[in-house]
Amino acid sequence: MAVVAQYDCFLADEAATLNLGQALAAHLAAPLVVWLEGDLGAGKTTLVRGLLRGLGHHGAVKSPTYALVESYRPPNNSMEINHFDLYRFTHPDEWVDAGLDELFHPEAVCLIEWPQQGGSHVPAADLRLALSHAEPGRQLTLSAHSAHAAACLHPLDLSIWQK
Ligand SMILES: Nc1ncnc2c1ncn2[C@@H]1O[C@H](COP(=O)(O)OP(=O)(O)OP(=O)(O)O)[C@@H](O)[C@H]1O
Ligand SMILES: [Mg+2]
């Protein structure tokens, strides 16, 4: 996967992760496939929470660890946000059994935690958000793999999260 643009950030605390997610939301456009990478507790769900908050979603954002996917229709917006968590997959073919392909459509922004668990069934990433523990905070690398994803990142002022 060729990288079109790449940025590194340091997120000092949970609020920073939420704020970055919120900032990212302002420039998202469907269709978009986002892989959320990082260990257990790296902050993937927190980032999605910030993103949904930025899109005007005021309700809860549950981790889809058990449900596999949670879908949201943010107000004043035609996008559907589909938030997946494949952590509990015991085999990549569970992707097919669950019929997840139909959630990838032109209006969809699909955010996928643990994408590697779905193997080759998982659509290629436009954008990869890789989080890692850098106690007490987190390191985040944002990698755009398509021109569309690069255009979503380009207007972001990431300087407040760069150290
Ligand atoms: N930048 C940060 N600095 C410190 N703690 C953070 C940061 N971002 C998130 N956290 C905290 O990390 C914890 C785990 O976050 P979260 O549930 O988002 O991780 P996750 O990557 O989704 O984990 P899992 O793989 O288990 O789903 C939460 O308590 C959250 O508040
Ligand atoms: Mg999570």
Side-chain angles (χ1 to χ4, degrees):
M1 267 189 285
V3 177
V4 180
Q6 187 163 297
Y7 307 90
D8 288 303
C9 295
F10 177 70
L11 306 170
D13 52 21
E14 182 190 40
T17 306
L18 290 168
N19 289 339
L20 188 135
Q22 193 157 353
L24 190 56
H27 308 290
L28 284 190
L32 197 70
V33 176
V34 182
W35 288 13
L36 292 154
E37 302 174 328
D39 287 346
L40 282 171
K44 303 179 291 293
T45 300
T46 307
L47 196 55
V48 173
R49 254 182 214 123
L51 200 146
L52 281 162
R53 186 185 290 180
L55 290 172
H57 171 80
H58 294 299
V61 174
K62 284 189 291 178
S63 174
T65 311
Y66 292 93
L68 219 54
V69 57
E70 297 280 350
S71 297
Y72 304 85
R73 284 273 183 190
N76 311 321
N77 199 309
S78 61
M79 288 192 293
E80 179 176 59
I81 308 296
N82 297 317
H83 177 203
F84 302 78
D85 185 340
L86 310 183
Y87 182 72
R88 297 183 68 84
F89 269 19
T90 53
H91 193 280
D93 289 348
E94 288 183 44
W95 178 275
V96 181
D97 301 339
L100 298 183
D101 269 337
E102 66 187 54
L103 292 168
F104 292 72
H105 55 77
E107 304 275 272
V109 171
C110 291
L111 306 155
I112 311 160
E113 296 189 40
W114 298 99
Q116 67 272 32
Q117 293 280 94
S120 59
H121 298 301
V122 179
D126 291 295
L127 183 60
R128 281 171 53 214
L129 303 177
L131 287 145
S132 58
H133 290 259
E135 299 300 350
R138 305 286 190 268
Q139 195 71 40
L140 169 67
T141 301
L142 306 97
S143 308
H145 294 273
S146 65
H148 172 55
C152 293
L153 295 184
H154 182 73
L156 273 181
D157 178 6
L158 294 170
S159 59
I160 58 169
W161 297 290
Q162 275 155 349
K163 63 159 191 183

